[in-house]
Amino acid sequence: GSSSRCSSGSGSGVDWPSAPAENIELAETYYRAFEVLARDADFVADVWARKPLLVAEPIAGVAGSFTLDDVREAVDSDFLEAGLGVPTAEGGWKMAPVSQPRGSSYEDAKLRYVDVAAGIERGTVVFNSAGAHVPKLGAICLAALRAFGLPNCLNMYLTGPSVKQSAPPHTDKQDVFVLQMSGAKHWRVYEPPPPSRRPGSDPLARGKGDDKLCLAELGEPLLETVLTPGQLLYVPAGFPHTTGTVDPHDGSHVCDPPEPSVGLTVGIDTHIWGLNYFSSRQGALALASLPDQLTPTQLDPDKYWRGMRVPQSVGFLRAHAEAAGEEERAGGDGGGGGGGNSRNGRNGGGGARGGCCVGRGCKPRRQRWCGGGQRRVRRELAVVCDGRAGPGGFRRLRRDHGGRVQDRAPAGGETPLRRLRPVWLLRRRGRSHGAEWHRLWRPADQGGGCEWVGEAKGQGRAAAGRGGRGGGVG
């Protein structure tokens, strides 16, 4: 490829950092694909964190954009690490090293492509965080960051053409966008089992390590497909899935003629960095030196998954929340339906469409939560902060106007939000990506309310503090 460098992509108008022209072109290609989803109101309302989605129409420029030749070049030119997915005796899945050092020198310790090729024949070779080490893949990470405004990580999966089960049923902590480069892979995605069925297990890490997740627990797939070059598959965090390069029904190869599968997975790391309601609640209680006696996995599935939602004021979701808030303000005090409870969206409805953020009986001048994102925060707090009462928690919050949050303590002790200090969260973004600070909670100085503050660009707390409510990435 060309070795010339440029600092901007002319197609999207995004100001890219200085990089080889071919990497800028690759970033442009993936940015356009991700931006379509990030701007799609239906994707945000009906699909994001609720159900899997297959983009069956091949995306221009994706197929073949990273090949086994690129893998060989990356392995030869850098000190990379890779794992081989292997089953455990307990029925789970873990990573084993692809190769062992052959000596004490740099070259003897370095992974070789011949080791990778041998691993592909045995199963799936996994390059975790490949986007932090391989420049071409880093360009894809940057494209996802610009489109979604959320931290991400890119993994690469190489699977031989005759592997019946390259990954047993398991769940991931990330919402993932899977892109098929070459070959083909069979995917089955299932609805999450109720967390209360295994309250001691992490719903976002089922089937990993010593945890066993059986197909019998899962029922029929929500989605079953063979992913071919150029296609994109979205799988929400916590949704069990299993993969292979052989059709599990008839044993035939899913790729004709058979060839290894090369796939890239861009994981959106919101839960890794605690960008959900449960994490914010936990951090706020910790900073206030208050006990947290809630076990989220013991809640009903709907309440658990609502607590795991990413706030609507974060990343690409913020623009949609602000647009919804504008529509509600323009619509006055009209009626509306209840918020959706179901993880997969089957039982869900739209948020309240009236002009009042806390119920029809509340006058507009009494509003303390402004905009669609703040309205949603208030609604979610009713569930997250009171696991037992459910709607009762909402009524209490409506009565007190957000002044206090009821914790699930035996004595029913209350937590004054005025005592909570801001929670700061550093977003790590890999090599040379810099850092951003997220200010998640800010106690309202007046009126006892609690505000949700979006992300703020810049280095350190001062920048985030200056950002305030308007410091988010739009």
Side-chain angles (χ1 to χ4, degrees), residues 107-165:
E107 287 299 327
D108 287 338
K110 188 175 179 295
L111 177 68
R112 302 172 301 177
Y113 183 75
V114 64
D115 302 319
V116 175
I120 292 174
E121 294 303 316
R122 290 151 47 203
T124 294
V125 175
V126 182
F127 287 83
N128 283 323
S129 301
H133 303 280
V134 183
K136 287 183 70 173
L137 302 183
I140 299 174
C141 288
L142 185 59
L145 181 65
R146 293 290 174 86
F148 296 111
L150 292 170
N152 67 78
C153 181
L154 186 149
N155 296 343
M156 178 169 56
Y157 298 84
L158 314 175
T159 307
S162 303
V163 179
K164 183 176 182 180
Q165 190 179 68

Side-chain angles (χ1 to χ4, degrees), residues 50 130 212 270 282 310 372 445 456 458:
R50 289 175 172 82
K212 184 177 181 180
T270 48
Q282 184 180 37
V310 178
D445 295 329

Side-chain angles (χ1 to χ4, degrees), residues 315-334:
F316 76 107
L317 303 174
R318 180 169 184 167
H320 294 275
E322 290 176 344
E326 290 293 336
E327 291 179 3
E328 291 183 5
R329 285 190 287 274
D333 289 330

Side-chain angles (χ1 to χ4, degrees), residues 345-364:
R346 293 175 183 171
N347 302 324
R353 306 300 291 179
C356 180
C357 60
V358 291
R360 296 182 182 179
C362 176
K363 297 180 181 180

Side-chain angles (χ1 to χ4, degrees), residues 189-209:
V189 185
Y190 301 85
E191 187 167 357
S196 57
R197 188 180 296 169
R198 295 282 297 273
S201 298
D202 183 353
L204 303 188
R206 293 296 315 275
K208 293 182 176 179

Side-chain angles (χ1 to χ4, degrees), residues 229-253:
Q231 291 184 328
L232 180 148
L233 175 65
Y234 166 72
V235 181
F239 274 61
H241 50 277
T242 183
T243 61
T245 53
V246 172
D247 192 310
H249 304 293
D250 59 19
S252 63
H253 290 95

